[in-house]
Structure formats: C-alpha cells, structure tokens
Amino acid sequence: MVIATCEVDYAGRLSAHLPKATRLLMVKADGSVLVHSDGGSYKPLNWMSPPCTLIERDGEWTVKNKAGETLVIRIEEILSDSTHHLGVDPGLMKDGVEAHLQALLADHLDVIGAGLRLVRREYPTPIGPVDILAREDVGTVAIEVKRVVEISAVEQLTRYLDLLNRSSKIAPVRGVLAGNVVKPQAKTLAEDRGITCVTTDYDELRGLTDPTARLF
Amino acid sequence: MVIATCEVDYAGRLSAHLPKATRLLMVKADGSVLVHSDGGSYKPLNWMSPPCTLIERDGEWTVKNKAGETLVIRIEEILSDSTHHLGVDPGLMKDGVEAHLQALLADHLDVIGAGLRLVRREYPTPIGPVDILAREDVGTVAIEVKRVVEISAVEQLTRYLDLLNRSSKIAPVRGVLAGNVVKPQAKTLAEDRGITCVTTDYDELRGLTDPTARLF
DNA sequence: GCATCAATGTCGCCT
DNA sequence: AGGCGACGTTGATGC
C-alpha cells in the first residue's frame, strides 16, 4: 500500500494517461497493481490484472503482463508505504440471481400462462440450453429468463426458436421472455417476432414458493 | 484504510456473505467502501458505491445507499488503521476506443473500399444509429465499427440492413463490419449473410490522419 | 431521469 | 484455450 504523488500511463488494448496527482497504489500478493483515487466507484483509475510482473527502478514502476500490456507509474513523492500480510480468503457466497429466478418460474408456470406443463429446465440444444421448456395443449413453449430483458435476449430466444421449430418432435414452439425488467426496445422487437414478454416479480414469486420467506 | 479481521454481508440486488478473514477495507472521501482481499483482480470482494452513508458502532460498520442496499462489516480485530488525504484527481485520458476508430474510419473510407462517399456518422434509424453510412456508385454501405467484432455485431448490423433495405430511398444497402479484431465465428456468420469484414489497424489509421502523432 | 451502448469490462461455466 | 452469457456489471452519452 503506497500513497504517492505519481503519473501513470497504460498501453495495451488502448492507451491511457493519468496526469500527476496524489493517489493510492495497491500491490496485491499476486503481483497485480491497482491505482485508486479518493472517489469514484470501486473501479481503479488504472490497473494491471494478474498474472503480471512488477519492476521497480529509479522511482518508476513498470508492470507488464503476458500479452505485452504495460503500466508505467512514475513516482514523484512517496507519502506513505506499508505492507500487510492478509492470508488466504475463504470464498464468497452469493444467492438470488438468474438461476434462482429460473427455478422459481419453473415452479410457477401459471405466471407465464395457464395449462403449461414443465418439460425441463436447461433444455439442451446444439446452440445452448433453453432456460425452461414447457408443453401446452398444442405445441411447446420455450422460455428465456433474464433479470433484465434486452434486445440480446430476443436474439438469443429467436435462435432457439428457429432451431426448435425445425425439429418436428416438439414443434410448433412459441417463445416467451420473462424478466423483472423488460426494456422497451426489446419488447418491440420481441412482439415483431411473435414473442411474448412477461414481467415477473421476484419477491412475489419467492413469496408464492415460501410464504414465510421475508427479507430479514 | 483499515486492515482488519472481519466478516461481511451484503443485501441488495442479491445476497452475499463473506466468512471471517483478514481483509483490506478502504473508505473513500465520497463515503464509498471497498472490501479487498490480497488477490483476484481489481474488483473488490464486496463494496458499496457512492452516494452512501457509513455508520460505525460497536465494531460494526453499516453502509447504506438510497436504494436500500446494505453492507454490514463485523470487525473482529483491527490490525492497522490509517487516513490519507489525496486531493482532487485530474481526469483520465483515453485513446483507442470505438469512438476514435469510428472517426478515423470516416476520414479514410478508402480503407473499406474504393469510391465510397461519407453520408454521415451515427445515421439514425428507429432501432438505433448506424455507425457510418456511405454511398457508392450503386447503392449504399452501412458500416458497423467495433473494437472487437463478435457475433453480436453481426446481428446488430443484420437488423440495420433488414430495416434499411425496406426503405427504397437508399436501397440497396450492403453491410461492412470493421474492427481491430474480427473473431472467427463472427467472420463466418457475417460472410454467410453477405456482410464483408475488414480488419483495421488503429495505429496505421491514426498515422494516415496525423503522420506526426506518436505515442507520448 | 431514463434508455441505450461501450468496456483495458471481469467472472465463471462449458466444450 | 476459446466461446458464451451473466454481472450487485459500471460508466458515458443522448434525449
């Protein structure tokens, strides 16, 4: 951990230059380097991801990686310099993303439409898995689940539908996009292609499955 | 800057839990908080972006933002605690992003093909702007510029072409994808659809516009 | 403020 | 190793 007045240049996938100012330089155990200012978000102003090597010489740090990207830090004045050993860190546990929404929807297909019977989740195709496949009285429904439904989701589902409708076994297959948020452009493009959009409510779905579940 | 043995919980867009370990806690001037381990990339294990408020009490930090997301840090033992004032930071200057490549290409359409005349950059359509539109002897060329050309760029340009070819004013319109890197799958799909791919050289293009321009 | 799109995106999974 | 999709994406820009 170094606090220093410095100037930084990055050359790699693009070029970037940071004028001289006082910043926080963090060197991690794996050799990666982060240049932070005292504001902004969690993203550093400049950085080099591991694996990389740091060479220090004449008040100039040069960090390189395999791909030939370089980060050069010219240090004018060091205001603080300290080292700490942190030890290993246990993993991070997450819960509540798309996989969870997909499971909840599979348990409550009535939210999508009446009379749907689950075939399976992650139904495999040569171009990737369909999130949820369900039968209805006539034909099949392919459901793509997204937290936020954008144009790319329409394209993705369109590819699945094109392919599934060539397989006579389960055709005809219609498409449904489900998500907590449906972007206007996505909705427009989807309806142009005969794809239905359903706006879901994550908390409500969770309530249906487990009425006792509450936030803390 | 605090080095401490701590346990962290985030609840907001998802839920996440970090078991007890020694980590680096960074509190920035704008109140944002970052929890870093001694490895990984530049992304913190947990964080809270500004604007947010930090409440410290009984060795427990609670960070909240407007949206009701919370980050709770239970501190077991503080190994180091220091404060530094950094002052304001001048902006970061970047060069080589898509916007620059688009401008350079618009000035050198001969790189795409002979006899092209620029109509305009960011040509508007109902489904988004076409990066560069140019006339040729017969018909029009729609050029999509990407730093890295991937399948999604092919899809994007295909949508534009479908739409533009319905408008008799400028039809027929053919498509060109231009980028520093063209992924093989994108090239294959593009050629299947009659779309040309051009691999550009950013440094060379910059040299054409300003022969004196050099890296620093 | 919302909607859209790029990013040195990063990360994780799967082939 | 490369492709592909999700992300607490974040960040910038135009309307």
Side-chain angles (χ1 to χ4, degrees):
Chain A
M1 302 280 334
V2 176
I3 313 283
T5 304
C6 60
E7 198 178 13
V8 185
D9 280 290
Y10 163 77
R13 281 164 287 188
L14 56 63
S15 303
H17 173 72
L18 269 180
K20 189 164 64 178
T22 302
R23 305 191 176 87
L24 165 65
L25 310 175
M26 190 190 311
V27 181
K28 291 191 174 187
D30 54 15
S32 56
V33 178
L34 288 70
V35 181
H36 269 282
S37 71
D38 203 2
S41 69
Y42 68 71
K43 195 174 178 177
L45 296 166
N46 266 332
W47 70 93
M48 185 64 72
S49 300
C52 61
T53 56
L54 168 63
I55 297 166
E56 195 175 343
R57 174 171 152 177
D58 295 338
E60 183 172 297
W61 296 6
T62 304
V63 194
K64 284 184 201 239
N65 71 1
K66 284 288 197 217
E69 300 171 59
T70 60
L71 188 70
V72 177
I73 305 175
R74 273 177 299 282
I75 295 178
E76 171 110 349
E77 183 190 3
I78 292 183
L79 305 176
S80 164
D81 187 341
S82 59
T83 301
H84 306 275
H85 189 69
L86 267 56
V88 293
D89 197 288
L92 175 67
M93 272 156 281
K94 288 186 179 182
D95 168 46
V97 278
E98 183 191 309
H100 203 167
L101 181 58
Q102 186 195 115
L104 288 172
L105 269 179
D107 278 346
H108 296 281
L109 289 176
D110 50 303
V111 170
I112 307 293
L116 296 183
R117 279 108 53 201
L118 178 66
V119 175
R120 70 164 291 181
R121 290 167 50 192
E122 302 287 347
Y123 180 87
T125 80
I127 56 171
V130 176
D131 285 347
I132 299 176
L133 201 73
R135 292 292 293 175
E136 54 189 344
D137 290 344
V138 177
T140 312
V141 185
I143 305 166
E144 177 65 29
V145 181
K146 286 269 182 294
R147 208 170 55 78
V148 179
V149 174
E150 298 184 344
I151 281 183
S152 60
V154 185
E155 300 289 6
Q156 187 181 352
L157 183 53
T158 301
R159 288 198 296 275
Y160 291 147
L161 291 174
D162 284 350
L163 190 141
L164 292 175
N165 276 314
R166 283 183 223 152
S167 149
S168 57
K169 294 233 177 83
I170 60 170
V173 185
R174 69 182 182 94
V176 173
L177 284 167
N180 291 338
V181 177
V182 178
K183 292 294 180 75
Q185 290 207 353
K187 190 177 175 70
T188 303
L189 183 62
E191 288 172 354
D192 265 6
R193 298 185 179 178
I195 293 171
T196 311
C197 291
V198 176
T199 302
T200 55
D201 184 315
Y202 180 76
D203 291 333
E204 190 185 313
L205 278 171
R206 189 169 49 180
L208 289 176
T209 294
D210 177 7
T212 64
R214 289 289 177 276
L215 274 176
F216 317 109
Chain B
M1 303 279 333
V2 176
I3 312 284
T5 305
C6 60
E7 196 177 13
V8 185
D9 279 289
Y10 162 77
R13 279 167 285 188
L14 57 66
S15 303
H17 172 73
L18 269 180
K20 189 164 63 178
T22 302
R23 305 192 176 87
L24 165 65
L25 310 176
M26 190 189 312
V27 181
K28 290 191 175 187
D30 55 14
S32 56
V33 178
L34 288 70
V35 181
H36 268 282
S37 69
D38 203 1
S41 71
Y42 67 71
K43 196 175 180 177
L45 295 166
N46 267 338
W47 71 95
M48 185 64 72
S49 301
C52 61
T53 55
L54 168 64
I55 296 166
E56 196 175 342
R57 175 172 153 179
D58 295 337
E60 183 172 298
W61 296 5
T62 304
V63 196
K64 284 184 201 239
N65 71 1
K66 283 286 198 217
E69 300 171 58
T70 60
L71 189 69
V72 178
I73 305 174
R74 272 177 300 283
I75 295 179
E76 170 111 349
E77 182 189 4
I78 292 183
L79 306 175
S80 163
D81 187 341
S82 59
T83 302
H84 306 275
H85 189 70
L86 267 56
V88 293
D89 198 289
L92 176 66
M93 272 158 281
K94 290 184 180 184
D95 174 38
V97 292
E98 183 190 308
H100 297 162
L101 182 56
Q102 187 196 117
L104 287 173
L105 269 179
D107 278 348
H108 295 282
L109 288 176
D110 50 301
V111 169
I112 307 292
L116 296 183
R117 279 108 51 202
L118 179 67
V119 175
R120 70 164 290 185
R121 290 168 50 191
E122 302 288 344
Y123 179 87
T125 79
I127 54 172
V130 176
D131 284 347
I132 300 175
L133 200 73
R135 293 291 293 175
E136 54 188 344
D137 291 342
V138 177
T140 312
V141 184
I143 305 166
E144 178 65 30
V145 181
K146 284 270 181 289
R147 220 163 42 77
V148 180
V149 174
E150 299 183 343
I151 280 184
S152 60
V154 185
E155 302 287 7
Q156 188 181 351
L157 182 53
T158 301
R159 287 197 299 274
Y160 294 146
L161 292 173
D162 284 349
L163 191 142
L164 292 174
N165 276 314
R166 284 182 221 157
S167 149
S168 58
K169 294 233 177 79
I170 60 170
V173 185
R174 68 181 182 96
V176 173
L177 285 167
N180 293 334
V181 177
V182 178
K183 293 292 179 77
Q185 290 206 352
K187 189 179 176 68
T188 304
L189 182 62
E191 287 173 354
D192 265 6
R193 299 186 179 178
I195 293 171
T196 311
C197 290
V198 176
T199 302
T200 54
D201 184 316
Y202 181 76
D203 290 334
E204 188 185 315
L205 277 172
R206 189 171 51 181
L208 289 176
T209 293
D210 178 5
T212 65
R214 289 289 177 274
L215 274 175
F216 315 111

